[in-house]
Amino acid sequence: MVGLLEKTTGLVGFGVCDMVKAEPDNKKSEDQLQCGQLEEVILQAENELSLARKMIQGKPWEPLVQEPPANQWKWPI
């Protein structure tokens, strides 16, 4: 079990996170996920949860209060 804890992620702005309990070996967990470092996956999940909460408040699935300008959704601008 010696050396299983990461001392640093090597990524600027990412702290080491010890939240994973099912697989104590971080490298094995990262290999299984194939989505980058665990800290990145956790950050992405937190961002998605935050977006879901904002969408509940904003209710983007409901009809618009007023019609949008004629070319608002035209791409490219």
Side-chain angles (χ1 to χ4, degrees), residues 45-57:
E46 289 172 349
N47 289 341
E48 289 178 15
L49 180 60
S50 173
L51 175 60
R53 288 179 176 144
K54 289 176 185 176
M55 290 182 74
I56 289 171
Q57 294 295 319

Side-chain angles (χ1 to χ4, degrees), residues 58-69 72-73:
K59 302 178 184 178
W61 55 86
E62 291 186 355
L64 296 174
V65 175
Q66 63 186 33
E67 289 297 315
Q72 179 172 345
W73 309 117

Side-chain angles (χ1 to χ4, degrees), residues 4-55:
L4 291 180
L5 295 178
E6 292 179 318
K7 305 243 186 288
T8 178
T9 62
L11 301 171
V12 176
F14 284 101
V16 174
C17 184
D18 297 323
M19 297 175 66
V20 180
K21 295 181 181 177
E23 174 58 66
D25 186 344
N26 289 345
K27 181 65 175 140
K28 284 183 183 177
S29 295
E30 291 169 352
D31 290 344
Q32 289 173 353
L33 286 174
Q34 297 181 357
C35 292
Q37 290 187 345
L38 294 176
E39 292 80 10
E40 293 173 304
V41 174
I42 292 167
L43 180 64
Q44 180 67 32
E46 289 172 349
N47 289 341
E48 289 178 15
L49 180 60
S50 173
L51 175 60
R53 288 179 176 144
K54 289 176 185 176
M55 290 182 74

